[in-house]
Amino acid sequence: GTQRLPRIIGAANALPLMLEAKQLSPSKAHALGIIEQIVPQDQLLATAKALITSGKARHIQPWNEKKFKVPGGKPTDKGAGHVYVVGNAMLRKLTYGNYSAQLYIQRCVFEGLMVPFDKGLRVESRYFAKLLMSPTTKNMIRSLFQSSQELSKGAHRPSHIEKSNCETVGVLGAGMMGAGIAYSSAKAGINVILLDSSLENAEKGKAYSTKLLDKAIERGKTTENKKTELLNRIKPTTDYADLAPCDLIIEAVFEDRSVKADVTVQAEQAISENCIIASNTSTLPITSLAEASSRPEDFIGLHFFSPVDKMQLVEVIKGKQTGEKALAVALDYVAKIRKIPIVVNDSRGFYTSRCVGYYISEAVNMLGEGIKPALIENAGKMAGMPVSPLSLNDEVSLELSNKIREATEKDLGANYKQSDGDRLIKQMVEEYGKLGKKAKKGFYDYPEGAKKRLWPELSNIVKVADQQPDVEELKKRFLYIQALQTARCFEEGVLTDVRDADIGAIFGWGFAPFTGGPLSFIDTTGTAKFVEECDQLAEKYGDRYKPTPLLREMAEKNETFYKRFNPKKLAS
């Protein structure tokens, strides 16, 4: 661990492996000196015996030899200190001080190499014990290890429904999302019917898989034969009749209700009565989309995240009439493509899109308050979010945000209330043509061959205040608004399982992983303290921070989400 490896290959080589959890091939490990020999598996035991009987086997560890010197030197040796100076800077840049494990690893190496090996082990054990007892560690282990495995193994699957083996999937729409779903399905051994309005578009969707596989071949991750096998599973087409053998249809066309309805009707005319229909949508309610179906009990939502080949989460959405068979088939499919499912009930934006929207809109609200864009972006990253909020809005697409705003306004009618954030997004898109990263213009400019930069004219649209807030206040606002919305989703019944809340947040939109998820964050903060601070934020920034009745009730009883709504107790 932290004491052996630096004494074998030096701190400069050892720290990146430990801090970044890098894995090495045997040849690279051998080149670094971590292992002494590489032999074929069937010769391993014979080689070991030969080393022992020849007397060439090392019978004492290097650090126990009298003349042992740490490779690269001890931290106090001349020329060795720069490893820790650079390491500390990199650590701060990448973790913002939110993760104790990496900090303790660095301390273990620094302090451990200053003393004999046995004392170094004592240093390591004490830091490990300190880390293990922290709430951060407990929350991360529970969410990222235990809960993710439980959900992946079918925690929400109706046990009385016979397991399905999805052999053929129809993907309607060969755009970015459809192409990604096709690749992930074919990679799992599933045959894919990739349908689009033109064969050219369908072929382009298949070409996405070719591009990914070519990159994998360059990196030595796959072979030409495996590439051919995977591509042969994807059939581009424009003919709905080709969907006949499908076990599952995944509609992945543009976020337009009428377009989705049209392809649903056409697909249903071609598929068997046993085929389940799913819609990949990020915001449109599944119940309303199912109105286009002649059998809404077989209609379900499967919300994938972009890029599909990299993102691990799938949000499974049950409409009001979705049956248990549809849920079971959807979960069987998600398991087969080796992704993590969460199951939520229908609502506008469901869970993930709704809550990430509040992260983004809070940043836009901050702009309206006159807070400097750079400060907003840095505060988002410092709070533990992987992508800063204005940058994330660009990636999601300002144009899409504006279309969602328009759809919401149309659906809600007189009940729709336009926020400052809505007005700014509308202005950015309709007046200034800022559509997002794909169009290379949004809150950021994307100059060719250079790093992206915040749009300089942004300060002319929103006036910058003379007095800027403390960054800790901004960090709190970002975390609290997301956690509060998660609690609201739970109270409204959109979420029914605390595991879905935390896993969906971390894997769906990147809610600060060190917290263990938004409900774990509330539990660790303490419900009473969380409610008190929400009230304070509501006084300053508006009613969107007002705690829900459930949170107030839990605060009075000093309850936590994981005790009151323990999934294992509820299941029994």
Side-chain angles (χ1 to χ4, degrees), residues 133-144:
M133 296 303 293
S134 73
T136 296
T137 300
K138 292 177 181 178
N139 288 342
M140 288 181 72
I141 289 173
R142 179 177 62 198
S143 293
L144 301 177

Side-chain angles (χ1 to χ4, degrees), residues 382-427:
M382 292 171 73
M385 302 297 292
V387 182
S388 53
L390 299 179
S391 178
L392 182 59
N393 204 348
D394 272 6
E395 290 188 22
V396 170
S397 165
L398 271 67
E399 183 182 28
L400 177 60
S401 297
N402 195 46
K403 284 185 179 297
I404 291 170
R405 177 197 63 76
E406 289 174 343
T408 304
E409 182 178 3
K410 183 178 178 181
D411 286 354
L412 297 183
N415 293 323
Y416 172 73
K417 294 180 181 179
Q418 190 178 59
S419 67
D420 291 338
D422 288 341
R423 276 188 285 272
L424 181 56
I425 291 294
K426 182 178 180 181
Q427 187 179 11

